[in-house]
Amino acid sequence: MKQGSHLKAELILVFVTVLAGFGWIFSKEALAGLPPLFFMGVRFIVAGFVLFLAGQKYFRGLDWQNVKQASLVGLVMGITMMFWVTGLDQGSNLGVGAFITSLGVVLVPVVARFLFGARPPLSIWIALPIAVVGLGFLALNDGLNFEFSHLYFLGAALGSAFQLNLLSRFSMRMHALVLTAIQLSVAGCFLLFLSLLTETLPHSISIAVAGWFLVSTLVASSLRFLLQTYGMSLTPVSHAAVIMNLEPVWTAIFAVFWFSETMASGQVFGCFLIFIAMLVSRWSQIRAIFKPVKSF
């Protein structure tokens, strides 16, 4: 693969992390006038439909077994998003929530160990205590400053780790855009079903809330996943995995400027430790990036 393609892909993926960071902001604004499960359910259904329209030709000749596996992953995604959006709705600090959620990267091999008997690499056992200490610093701010939303974000991290494990073990032969569309649609239907059972829908919504809903759906979901699929097709997975760690960093920065959020020095240090843990957990991918290319 040409070096120019690598650079193009990596710039696209950096932009994807920026969109993901803004997605937290857009979603928080939309939740000011929409029930959380209803918001995510409709958002994902619309986003999945947009992806279907964008790649109709890839949906021809789908294997039913692959569709069932993709739907199962979508169900897990729906449960994960249920935790995430509840934490987002109840939490007071987006930056903290973003870093807790990002622990899913570290937890992927741990979940694989307990569910599938896989042996995590040494880097994971080094990253885990760093991440735990980081979580401690996030919760300790002038004494114990624990929020129940932190548990929801941690649940989202565990859910995303389980989802990524399923994706890596299912040999689904379908285009990434099709897989993403199925996941989003199934997750959206699950969340909307839960919403109809548990939430009271508003009689009307403001133009501002409707605007935030559309931006979060079309930009932070549909456009983001389209660009992510395209970018990951142009660069090695190891490069993409490291770049995607930027999402919580952007989220924390945007939250400072958008909502005037602040973190105590201990919480900043906790975020730093979690970021280090994420990089340590990706050590093999980082080494692959900087490994010198042999010349013949």
Side-chain angles (χ1 to χ4, degrees):
M1 192 176 294
K2 295 180 179 179
Q3 186 65 29
S5 297
H6 277 311
L7 178 60
K8 177 182 177 181
E10 288 163 7
L11 289 175
I12 290 173
L13 290 174
V14 170
F15 183 59
V16 166
T17 63
V18 172
L19 292 180
F22 272 122
W24 286 70
I25 305 296
F26 301 155
S27 299
K28 187 70 172 179
E29 292 283 10
L31 288 174
L34 291 171
L37 298 179
F38 177 79
F39 161 65
M40 289 302 294
V42 177
R43 170 183 169 179
F44 275 9
I45 290 173
V46 173
F49 182 67
V50 170
L51 291 180
F52 168 75
L53 292 179
Q56 293 183 56
K57 63 180 180 180
Y58 300 116
F59 283 82
R60 297 172 189 148
L62 286 178
D63 180 78
W64 177 239
Q65 180 63 24
N66 289 338
V67 173
K68 287 195 295 184
Q69 291 178 338
S71 299
L72 176 59
V73 177
L75 179 61
V76 174
M77 182 183 188
I79 296 171
T80 300
M81 290 297 102
M82 176 187 67
F83 283 110
W84 178 79
V85 75
T86 305
L88 183 65
D89 185 50
Q90 298 183 9
S92 63
N93 195 304
L94 269 65
V96 171
F99 275 95
I100 294 176
T101 305
S102 67
L103 284 174
V105 173
V106 181
L107 295 174
V108 168
V110 179
V111 171
R113 174 69 180 88
F114 286 100
L115 292 182
F116 305 107
R119 292 188 176 183
L122 177 61
S123 59
I124 293 300
W125 300 118
I126 297 174
L128 271 176
I130 298 174
V132 170
V133 173
L135 280 174
F137 274 98
L138 288 182
L140 293 173
N141 176 25
D142 297 327
L144 184 63
N145 190 30
F146 174 78
E147 292 184 12
F148 201 78
S149 63
H150 294 173
L151 287 181
Y152 286 119
F153 287 127
L154 191 57
L158 284 167
S160 65
F162 185 40
Q163 179 187 351
L164 290 172
N165 268 288
L166 290 180
L167 281 172
S168 67
R169 277 160 177 77
F170 287 161
S171 56
M172 292 175 285
R173 297 178 180 176
M174 62 175 65
H175 193 276
L177 187 147
V178 177
L179 174 59
T180 304
I182 294 175
Q183 289 182 80
L184 287 173
S185 300
V186 171
C189 290
F190 170 75
L191 290 166
L192 187 59
F193 175 72
L194 285 184
S195 172
L196 295 176
L197 290 179
T198 61
E199 294 178 333
T200 301
L201 303 184
H203 297 291
S204 63
I205 60 174
S206 67
I207 295 177
V209 170
W212 290 120
F213 169 79
L214 288 175
V215 172
S216 65
T217 300
L218 300 179
V219 176
S221 291
S222 298
L223 178 61
R224 170 195 170 185
F225 283 117
L226 276 173
L227 290 176
Q228 183 172 316
T229 300
Y230 177 62
M232 293 185 73
S233 70
L234 298 177
T235 191
V237 176
S238 58
H239 291 222
V242 175
I243 292 172
M244 298 308 288
N245 289 335
L246 289 173
E247 178 182 341
V249 178
W250 293 124
T251 303
I253 293 173
F254 296 155
V256 169
F257 287 98
W258 201 282
F259 296 116
S260 299
E261 288 188 358
T262 58
M263 291 188 196
S265 56
Q267 290 180 309
V268 173
F269 184 62
C271 291
F272 173 74
L273 287 178
I274 289 177
F275 185 70
I276 292 298
M278 291 161 59
L279 293 181
V280 170
S281 71
R282 299 284 196 183
W283 183 243
S284 60
Q285 290 97 325
I286 294 174
R287 278 178 40 180
I289 293 174
F290 294 101
K291 187 177 180 180
V293 179
K294 295 181 179 180
S295 58
F296 296 93

